[in-house]
Amino acid sequence: MKSGFVTIIGRPNVGKSTLLNQILGQKIVIATDKPQTTRKRIKGIYTESRGQIVFVDTPGVHRPLNKLGEFLMDEAKFAIPDTDLIIFLVDGSEPAGKGDKWIVENLLKSAKTPIILVMNKVDKIKNQQKIEENLVTYKLLFDENIPVIRISAKTGRNKDTFLDNIYKKLPEGELLYPEDVVTEENMRDIAEEIVREKILLNTSDEIPHSVAITIDKYEEADDIDRIYATIYCEQKSQKGILIGKGGGLLKKIGTDARLELEKIVDKKVFLSLEVKVEKDWRKKDRVLKNFGYFSEG
């Protein structure tokens, strides 16, 4: 039997969370088409007869622009030393860019851990020659030859090949978690992320990146869970946008989040949302820690 940790690294919006949800066969991390959807390291645990793979989904890596950006970078950086294998996930529908080069130069070249290059979104291109040309640009980022797998996280194409290659690289070992566990996340964490996902899906421009969610109270009962959450934004104008005309947008965000949470807990959910302004919170260490954005290393 084999078991180990596998860290997924890549630029924002290359499909890391979509891939993890596809492998596990259920949604444990939120996934949207907006960068910075994932903000914290999240473990997804895949168990089968060959053993157990503990996937570590990391925030999309890019050059940090503020304190939150530094935290996102640290989340990816700290996941590397403790892992048995690194999946460098790239958008195979386009050639390597500055962001990919930056990740390789700053995170991967110094890593002593085996790396597999995984080309996602190859189903978007019908021209096989173009895919091969894109592949060459990624291979050139490395000093030595690197194993390559082509996949589609969205459709699950080549999922079995992906898993086969991971098991080949993992050490022998007993299960690290009980076989029925798929994530370490608790319901407070999940509720926070679901609310943030619905904001991401219902807003645009700067709003998605300017919000943080706190779960102020989570009360569980046999027939209903009562959740009280606060949405923090950076400016008064953003608060107005989030609430919407007559409270319409906040109500839609709350309804969308409540319906998804009810599917997860399989019972009724009462969800109360409040919006507050915390000016420039992404630049403040103290506030970031209060919002749960601190790296434990």
Side-chain angles (χ1 to χ4, degrees):
M1 183 176 285
K2 293 192 164 190
S3 66
F5 289 87
V6 176
T7 297
I8 308 172
I9 298 274
R11 284 188 295 111
N13 212 24
V14 293
K16 296 181 295 298
S17 299
T18 303
L19 174 61
L20 184 52
N21 289 336
Q22 175 69 244
I23 295 297
L24 297 176
Q26 61 181 283
K27 181 176 175 178
I28 68 151
V29 280
I30 64 174
T32 76
D33 60 0
K34 293 186 171 73
Q36 287 187 24
T37 296
T38 301
R39 284 184 174 172
K40 299 176 184 177
R41 277 175 282 174
I42 294 174
K43 290 191 180 81
I45 302 152
Y46 175 81
T47 309
E48 49 139 285
S49 59
R50 287 178 288 183
Q52 190 173 74
I53 305 169
V54 182
F55 289 100
V56 182
D57 185 26
T58 62
V61 178
H62 57 84
R63 197 187 303 271
L65 301 174
N66 50 39
K67 292 288 185 182
L68 177 62
E70 290 173 13
F71 165 80
L72 299 180
M73 172 73 170
D74 285 345
E75 284 290 274
K77 190 165 65 178
F78 291 145
I80 290 174
D82 298 328
T83 196
D84 297 293
L85 178 66
I86 296 169
I87 299 299
F88 179 35
L89 191 68
V90 302
D91 183 346
S93 69
E94 56 186 44
K98 288 181 181 177
D100 299 294
K101 185 177 181 181
W102 196 87
I103 291 171
V104 173
E105 294 292 336
N106 290 275
L107 294 178
L108 300 184
K109 276 200 171 173
S110 58
K112 297 177 173 60
T113 309
I115 300 168
I116 296 177
L117 173 65
V118 177
M119 295 182 75
N120 188 25
K121 306 187 184 182
V122 292
D123 51 322
K124 287 171 67 176
I125 295 186
K126 302 302 177 200
N127 186 340
Q128 203 58 36
Q129 180 62 32
K130 180 61 179 168
I131 294 173
E132 294 305 315
E133 289 171 6
N134 290 346
L135 173 58
V136 170
T137 67
Y138 289 104
K139 281 188 161 186
L140 287 172
L141 299 177
F142 295 88
D143 297 328
E144 55 192 58
N145 207 19
I146 185 168
V148 179
I149 305 169
R150 298 166 181 80
I151 65 159
S152 168
K154 196 171 184 179
T155 66
R157 175 181 165 186
N158 281 349
K159 182 172 82 170
D160 292 342
T161 303
F162 176 75
L163 291 169
D164 290 345
N165 278 271
I166 288 175
Y167 275 113
K168 285 175 188 172
K169 300 277 187 184
L170 288 188
E172 297 287 333
E174 296 302 309
L175 299 186
L176 300 162
Y177 292 86
E179 59 184 75
D180 59 340
V181 172
V182 292
T183 183
E184 280 186 338
E185 302 301 293
N186 59 44
M187 275 312 301
R188 289 181 78 102
D189 296 329
I190 291 168
E192 177 186 316
E193 287 294 275
I194 294 295
V195 171
R196 194 165 65 82
E197 178 189 53
K198 302 315 174 189
I199 293 170
L200 287 165
L201 293 172
N202 282 286
T203 60
S204 58
D205 300 323
E206 182 57 18
I207 300 292
H209 308 300
S210 302
V211 297
I213 319 297
T214 60
I215 303 300
D216 307 312
K217 195 190 294 183
Y218 194 118
E219 299 173 337
E220 290 186 62
D222 290 340
D223 57 341
I224 189 169
D225 282 7
R226 298 181 183 275
I227 307 167
Y228 300 84
T230 302
I231 301 167
Y232 288 91
C233 54
E234 293 189 309
Q235 298 167 22
K236 221 175 201 177
S237 59
Q238 294 168 346
K239 179 179 179 179
I241 292 169
L242 281 163
I243 293 172
K245 189 175 180 181
L249 182 57
L250 188 63
K251 186 177 181 181
K252 184 175 189 314
I253 290 166
T255 301
D256 291 353
R258 177 180 58 79
L259 291 173
E260 180 143 356
L261 286 164
E262 285 181 342
K263 288 180 193 171
I264 295 169
V265 298
D266 200 22
K267 58 181 165 181
K268 288 287 185 187
V269 168
F270 168 81
L271 176 62
S272 169
L273 297 179
E274 185 180 359
V275 183
K276 293 182 179 179
V277 177
E278 179 64 59
K279 192 167 170 55
D280 295 331
W281 67 264
R282 287 180 292 176
K283 299 177 181 176
K284 299 174 180 175
D285 281 327
R286 176 188 58 81
V287 181
L288 282 166
K289 286 177 182 174
N290 288 343
F291 290 167
Y293 297 121
F294 59 91
S295 294
E296 298 171 1

